[in-house]
């Protein structure tokens, strides 16, 4: 190392941003790179979400429709093929209750569970859930199992 190849340590020198609004002599004085007039040139400007420059925003152009039923009950669906996979993976034996489904992360502890009829069930299972579709109940009972509503 000698005076001809000195350089600072890696990462020690940071490239500073341009200093704007510090006088005419800097070349970045006057409007400080913001241009003339308009909202974007003012201090404290922040673009509002969905603002379209004064044009009627999409959210207000599109008509409202429908309503939200305040008494709606949401269920977390679990299909029969999912239960069959768990049996084959030896994660469940002969009974499936709500606590088992929560442990296996198929439902959260505050959710209601509905067993749905996709796929087929080959194993005899006792399934305890909040609701069953007709096809799921029939498939569970056809496999020799039992569908218990909580």
């Amino acid at each position: 190392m000698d005076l001809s190849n000195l350089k600072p340590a890696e990462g020690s020198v940071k490239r500073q941003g341009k200093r704007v609004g510090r006088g005419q002599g800097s070349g970045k004085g006057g409007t400080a790179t913001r241009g003339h007039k308009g909202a974007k040139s003012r201090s404290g400007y922040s673009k509002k979400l969905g603002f379209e420059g004064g044009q009627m925003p999409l959210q207000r152009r599109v008509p409202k429709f429908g309503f939200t039923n305040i008494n709606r009950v949401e269920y977390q669906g679990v299909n029969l093929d999912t239960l069959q996979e768990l049996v084959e993976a030896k994660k469940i034996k002969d009974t499936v209750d709500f606590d088992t489904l929560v442990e296996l992360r198929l439902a959260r502890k505050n959710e209601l569970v509905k067993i749905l009829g996709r796929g087929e069930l080959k194993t005899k299972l006792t399934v305890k859930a909040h609701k069953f579709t007709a096809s799921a109940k029939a498939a569970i009972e056809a496999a020799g199992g039992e569908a218990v509503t909580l």
Side-chain angles (χ1 to χ4, degrees):
M1 178 185 288
D2 55 25
L3 288 176
S4 67
N5 60 9
L6 283 178
K7 65 179 187 201
E10 194 68 43
S12 67
V13 177
K14 291 186 174 66
R15 178 113 172 83
Q16 297 295 319
K18 56 186 170 188
R19 278 167 54 86
V20 297
R22 290 291 175 267
Q24 295 297 331
S26 69
K28 300 274 189 291
T31 60
T33 74
R34 285 166 173 254
H36 295 282
K37 296 188 188 170
K40 279 188 182 173
S41 72
R42 318 288 183 196
S43 70
Y45 166 75
S46 65
K47 186 165 157 272
K48 302 290 180 284
L49 200 65
F51 184 66
E52 297 182 18
Q55 173 176 303
M56 186 61 69
L58 182 69
Q59 183 192 350
R60 291 185 59 197
R61 287 199 303 265
V62 176
K64 298 197 274 189
F65 73 99
F67 80 108
T68 304
N69 181 2
I70 60 166
N71 298 316
R72 181 176 169 80
V73 181
E74 284 278 352
Y75 290 93
Q76 179 61 44
V78 177
N79 276 295
L80 292 177
D81 56 2
T82 314
L83 294 179
Q84 186 59 41
E85 280 171 26
L86 291 170
V87 169
E88 286 162 10
K90 295 192 169 59
K91 293 201 174 158
I92 50 179
K93 299 226 172 16
D94 51 355
T95 57
V96 182
D97 58 357
F98 180 67
D99 297 329
T100 315
L101 295 171
V102 171
E103 274 174 40
L104 294 167
R105 297 193 167 182
L106 291 173
R108 293 204 174 100
K109 66 178 192 237
N110 297 324
E111 289 178 326
L112 300 174
V113 173
K114 185 171 185 174
I115 306 297
L116 309 172
R118 187 186 72 199
E120 60 176 326
L121 193 63
K122 302 170 189 135
T123 322
K124 180 182 173 183
L125 284 178
T126 304
V127 185
K128 296 176 182 173
H130 298 101
K131 261 211 165 134
F132 295 86
T133 60
S135 60
K137 198 166 197 167
I140 291 167
E141 286 162 0
E146 186 183 3
V148 182
T149 306
L150 293 176

